[in-house]
Amino acid sequence: MSHSISTPVPEPSAPGRGHAVGATAGQWPEKKPIWPDRRLVDLLGIEHPLVLAPMAGLGTVELAASVCAGGGLGSLGCVGLPPERVTQAVDKLRTLTDKPINTNFFCHNATRADPAREANWRDRLAPYYNELRLDPSLAASQSEILPFDDALCRVVERVKPEIVSFHFGLPEPALLARVKAAGCRVMGSATTVAEARWLEARGADVIIAQGCEAGGHRGMFLKPGGGGCVSAEHAGPGATDRRCRRRADYRRGWNRRRTWDRGCLCARRGGGPDRDGLPLCPEAALPPLCRDALRQARADTTVLTNVFTGRPARALSNRLTRELGPLHGVTPDFPTPMLALTPLRRKAEQQGSREFSPHWRGKRHRWVE
């Protein structure tokens, strides 16, 4: 697929018809490309500056393939998947597209056992378990969402996706070196200028400057409890983007070919991840209850909360965020709260309720850049 933007065929001049200012006879003035800044598309080998947010659990191979077919970057959310399932997903996507693809992983610290905090969390959830007539012992079920490790790195080396993106920082240097040696471009999310500089210094090819408006988990990692969040939100829409761009443009320049961008769900100058409109596509694995909730959402119905997973994330407000949050001071480490909430969420959804479900959604604004 060509990267060029076609221009209309000039209309032949007719008697009595004037020409546009600056045009020669029989020609229209040169039309500027829709996306004049091509650094991102050239670096990633795509046609349009659109990146499908990975959306682990909601994104599908078919959705990624459709984005690739449309000229964007299709992404696979590999968080929580064992290595063999990552391999299967990439292999299936390769049968549907020959365009560049992105695989996404988390780089969070492994969960630290804290029996006291976990017991306190179960106590907080006990009234809801009783209300829905669930066995409270279900809240103690344990499972682990592993960060990017040697086993997942071996998969990347084998399937060689063109791009590998990371949330919550980057993997340890030895693993990152192996990813780059496999020929993969590396993307990482930053929520502050300090995080952007950290990512750049450690070799990220693309930095996604994620504002507080963005839906889903904030990619903070230097201060994972919430650093940089309040200041960016109070500074107005796109604050993180503006700060990173100023630092990139005026202090570092573009000599190392870094592409700075925004993960906010709003108008973009250079392109970026989208997780607001694409989840409603028929290819997304979104249950009807969630689809309806997202369609009816307004800008003031989202909150930044940690009660779903233990890490700050922007989602639709519901009973859980109102009564326990939005930011609870003693939630266990990620992802323990999510595991304890799963029985509640499933039972409530069976009854047509979303009061315990994490429906990730961005905070929309109306403005023109």
Side-chain angles (χ1 to χ4, degrees), residues 106 167-168 191 210-220 224-226 229 233 275 301-317 321 326-328 331 334 338 358-363:
F106 280 4
H167 218 46
F168 310 135
T191 64
Q210 184 190 40
C212 262
E213 302 92 344
H217 282 100
R218 286 184 54 73
M220 57 185 65
C229 176
E233 180 137 24
R275 66 169 302 136
T301 58
T302 68
V303 294
L304 195 63
T305 179
N306 65 352
V307 299
F308 291 119
T309 69
R311 274 184 170 267
R314 185 167 291 282
L316 295 182
S317 175
T321 65
L327 295 171
H328 195 291
T331 53
F334 173 90
M338 176 174 59
H359 292 157
W360 311 127
R361 173 75 175 193
K363 184 176 182 180

Side-chain angles (χ1 to χ4, degrees), residues 32-196:
K32 293 183 179 180
I34 297 176
W35 298 103
D37 188 339
R38 298 195 51 82
R39 281 169 287 196
L40 183 66
V41 296
D42 290 341
L43 184 67
L44 301 184
I46 55 180
E47 183 178 4
H48 304 301
L50 177 66
V51 178
L52 170 64
M55 300 180 297
L58 300 179
T60 64
V61 170
E62 290 75 18
L63 180 57
S66 294
V67 172
C68 290
L73 179 62
S75 303
L76 293 175
C78 302
V79 177
L81 296 181
E84 59 273 15
R85 288 191 59 189
V86 175
T87 301
Q88 292 169 3
V90 174
D91 288 345
K92 182 178 179 181
L93 183 55
R94 291 297 195 193
T95 67
L96 301 176
T97 182
D98 59 356
K99 304 296 178 59
I101 64 172
N102 168 40
T103 54
N104 176 260
F105 303 91
F106 280 4
C107 293
H108 60 286
N109 294 325
T111 305
R112 297 172 297 176
D114 191 331
R117 291 178 66 184
E118 293 167 15
N120 178 62
W121 183 244
R122 291 193 295 270
D123 290 342
R124 296 296 182 105
L125 298 180
Y128 304 123
Y129 270 77
N130 293 334
E131 179 181 325
L132 294 179
R133 299 181 181 180
L134 288 169
D135 183 354
S137 65
L138 295 174
S141 60
Q142 292 293 319
S143 180
E144 180 63 275
I145 295 179
L146 296 176
F148 189 75
D149 57 10
D150 175 72
L152 291 171
C153 191
R154 287 200 300 270
V155 172
V156 168
E157 291 172 318
R158 183 162 59 251
V159 300
K160 291 181 169 54
E162 286 76 11
I163 299 94
V164 179
S165 61
F166 295 104
H167 218 46
F168 310 135
L170 295 173
E172 61 182 71
L175 293 177
L176 184 63
R178 288 167 56 185
V179 170
K180 295 178 81 68
C184 309
R185 296 288 188 183
V186 173
M187 298 199 299
S189 296
T191 64
T192 64
V193 170
E195 288 180 344

